[in-house]
Amino acid sequence: MAQIAPFRALRYHPSRVTLSQVVTQPYDKITPEMQERYYATSPYNLVRIIFGKRDPGDHAGDNPYTRADACLQDWRKQGILQQDPEPALYFYSQRFTPPGGKAEMERRGFIGLGRIEEYSAQVVFRHEQTLAKPKADRLDLLRATRAHFGQIFMLYSDPAGEIEQILSTDRPPDMEASDEYGVAHRVWKVADPAAIAATRDKMRDKKLIIADGHHRYETALNYRNERRAAAGSTGNAGAKDAPYESVMMTFVNMDSPGLVILPTHRVVHGLNSFSAEDLREGARPYFSVEEVDPSIDAKRATAILRQAAHVGPAVLAVAADRAFLLDRPKTVGSDIFAGLSLRQQSLDVVQLHKCLLEGVLGISEAAIREQQNVSYFREAGEALNQVRHGANVAFLMSPVRMQQVRDIAFAGEVLPQKSTDFFPKLLSGLCIYALE
């Protein structure tokens, strides 16, 4: 099933840089403000490669992708980036306190290569839709640099935690960094052939779910197909071990208590005819509607949702002067969910999208996909603040549970975009997989 392999990672040399100053959040989480900060932090910050600045004068010979490749090659020549002498797996620990939490947690996994598979092979499973534009951008970067800089976040099931036991060690880490969210990242290089062989053997019967990195995985798949075509190979002979047949992944046990999924709240803006009263009346055919205090804060909102979630799907809608708890759905199995399984219909996020965003507010699926009237926020307080500053309404959500993600992915189904927010993110730049 899952075919994993060690690799000779390209890594920042510790004598040349401070790791915390050169690694970044995943490219799709980098805001313009973060981009500026990363640029200012170090001339060797990875942002110059994975999310370089654009210029009005960019052209085929000089653009973010060509400049990314120039940086990569220059840093390799200078010794800023050096390749490990032998293949290894890289045991990865993240210590963190979840937003709104108090106790420190640890999530552990390992970085290695995973063979790229078509979804139809039922080895790798997705749980979210992807968009064409981000994949085109990542494909241009991959073509230019011929390297992978961030890990695709993959989940596997190992209730006994046997793989973590094989790879864990008491010796000091080979890499350490802290990020802007207070997460401590530590990585140990594991080059022991016996440990690698045991890990590969344990992973062989696993099915993998993409937690984060759907666009990057499908980009790697498209690139693999391009390279196969160029090599005149189907991938079944000759080129089956070619570097482009694999992509860098971080494998995390989905049964681990350190796995945290945060909710992603929706804020609707730009609707000229929005009315809180119309929202309430429009929601009545779909939900039980209970009015709550519109001055509600994030802590109280989270408590209300947590209690309502014991019964079933629930959404808290907060406008400028009205707020409603929408729960106990009435329309499961109706035509509004045509084509969606009962598994999908039981999710808060699906109820929100189909009944409220599309059904009541009339925001099309295409408009939602392109974020024309909908913005996404991790923090409930930030979503509420958007309403206080003129947005139409905030829809506060409960997180999707890991079991729900698992069931939907293995059934070959998908969730709406931005349904899950696995926290913390995997840093880009800890390990780089250079194809050449």
Side-chain angles (χ1 to χ4, degrees):
M1 299 291 282
Q3 298 183 46
I4 72 156
F7 69 112
R8 296 173 58 211
L10 197 62
R11 297 195 284 136
Y12 279 103
H13 196 285
S15 69
R16 304 295 301 275
V17 301
T18 299
L19 192 59
S20 294
Q21 296 179 351
V22 293
V23 292
T24 75
Q25 294 294 314
Y27 82 98
D28 57 335
K29 299 299 179 183
I30 299 175
T31 65
E33 294 76 19
M34 292 168 69
Q35 183 190 47
E36 290 291 343
R37 175 162 48 81
Y38 286 147
Y39 260 83
T41 300
S42 168
Y44 304 114
N45 189 283
L46 191 71
V47 75
R48 287 174 165 78
I49 293 177
I50 65 170
F51 192 42
K53 292 181 178 179
R54 296 185 179 272
D55 187 276
D58 284 347
H59 54 82
D62 185 12
N63 56 60
Y65 311 112
T66 61
R67 292 191 289 271
D69 184 49
C71 277
L72 176 60
Q73 302 312 321
D74 180 54
W75 296 354
R76 294 183 75 167
K77 289 176 182 177
Q78 290 188 53
I80 303 299
L81 294 171
Q82 294 189 0
Q83 193 164 32
D84 282 339
E86 67 279 318
L89 299 175
Y90 300 85
F91 189 60
Y92 185 7
S93 163
Q94 295 169 289
R95 289 189 177 274
F96 62 97
T97 302
K102 296 180 180 178
E104 184 180 68
M105 303 179 70
E106 182 181 21
R107 187 176 72 197
R108 302 195 293 178
F110 68 94
I111 303 169
L113 298 186
R115 184 171 176 82
I116 301 166
E117 304 277 2
E118 300 281 353
Y119 293 137
S120 59
Q122 295 192 314
V123 175
V124 173
F125 296 79
R126 60 178 182 162
H127 78 272
E128 284 189 347
Q129 299 278 13
T130 57
L131 302 176
K133 187 175 180 180
K135 286 189 287 188
D137 167 61
R138 292 299 95 182
L139 185 55
D140 284 339
L141 180 65
L142 181 53
R143 286 168 176 159
T145 61
R146 302 161 305 284
H148 297 280
F149 303 95
Q151 299 95 37
I152 296 167
F153 188 166
M154 287 292 194
L155 300 168
Y156 67 92
S157 180
D158 182 16
E162 294 177 318
I163 293 170
E164 287 184 13
Q165 293 173 28
I166 292 170
L167 295 173
S168 61
T169 175
D170 292 330
R171 63 181 173 82
D174 297 284
M175 292 181 274
E176 288 186 275
S178 57
D179 67 23
E180 53 265 75
Y181 301 104
V183 181
H185 303 258
R186 298 182 299 163
V187 180
W188 292 260
K189 179 182 172 182
V190 181
D192 174 43
I196 292 172
T199 301
R200 297 183 74 179
D201 183 63
K202 291 287 185 183
M203 288 294 294
R204 196 162 285 123
D205 67 343
K206 306 299 185 187
K207 295 181 178 182
L208 305 173
I209 296 175
I210 303 173
D212 273 336
H214 289 79
H215 291 94
R216 280 169 285 156
Y217 184 81
E218 293 180 18
T219 295
L221 177 61
N222 292 336
Y223 183 75
R224 181 205 70 177
N225 293 342
E226 281 188 3
R227 293 291 298 269
R228 280 183 176 181
S233 169
T234 63
N236 295 322
K240 65 180 181 180
D241 294 323
Y244 53 76
E245 293 286 337
S246 297
V247 65
M248 186 167 59
M249 302 175 179
T250 293
F251 302 90
V252 174
N253 182 7
M254 70 176 76
D255 303 304
S256 168
L259 195 65
V260 173
I261 306 177
L262 301 178
T264 301
H265 309 295
R266 273 69 169 157
V267 172
V268 174
H269 51 83
L271 299 181
N272 295 327
S273 60
F274 176 81
S275 159
E277 179 62 21
D278 289 346
L279 172 63
R280 186 186 73 155
E281 291 305 308
R284 285 190 183 281
Y286 301 106
F287 299 96
S288 172
V289 180
E290 177 186 348
E291 192 134 7
V292 299
D293 182 0
S295 65
I296 190 169
D297 62 11
K299 183 177 181 180
R300 177 60 180 152
T302 301
I304 291 174
L305 281 170
R306 186 181 297 115
Q307 183 176 1
H310 290 305
V311 178
V315 177
L316 195 61
V318 182
D321 55 356
R322 304 282 294 278
F324 315 103
L325 174 64
L326 312 173
D327 62 354
R328 288 168 284 176
K330 302 176 181 179
T331 56
V332 172
S334 72
D335 290 343
I336 196 171
F337 298 111
L340 298 179
S341 70
L342 291 177
R343 278 182 297 268
Q344 292 166 297
Q345 295 178 40
S346 67
L347 296 174
D348 313 51
V349 66
V350 172
Q351 290 279 334
L352 167 67
H353 276 242
K354 291 298 179 183
C355 298
L356 299 176
L357 298 183
E358 296 178 35
V360 177
L361 297 181
I363 305 174
S364 70
E365 186 175 351
I368 294 170
R369 189 166 54 246
E370 298 301 324
Q371 301 184 28
Q372 292 179 12
N373 295 102
V374 181
S375 299
Y376 301 87
F377 295 88
R378 172 183 287 170
E379 300 287 348
E382 190 176 359
L384 292 173
N385 192 51
Q386 295 294 312
V387 174
R388 314 298 188 223
H389 287 82
N392 299 124
V393 59
F395 291 106
L396 304 185
M397 314 291 296
S398 298
V400 177
R401 299 191 304 276
M402 185 61 239
Q403 187 63 47
Q404 293 173 313
V405 174
R406 175 179 182 149
D407 291 347
I408 284 173
F410 286 159
E413 300 166 356
V414 293
L415 298 170
Q417 187 186 14
K418 297 186 182 294
S419 294
T420 57
D421 181 6
F422 287 86
F423 183 88
K425 299 305 178 188
L426 305 174
L427 287 186
S428 294
L430 293 172
C431 294
I432 296 169
Y433 175 40
L435 304 184
E436 299 175 1

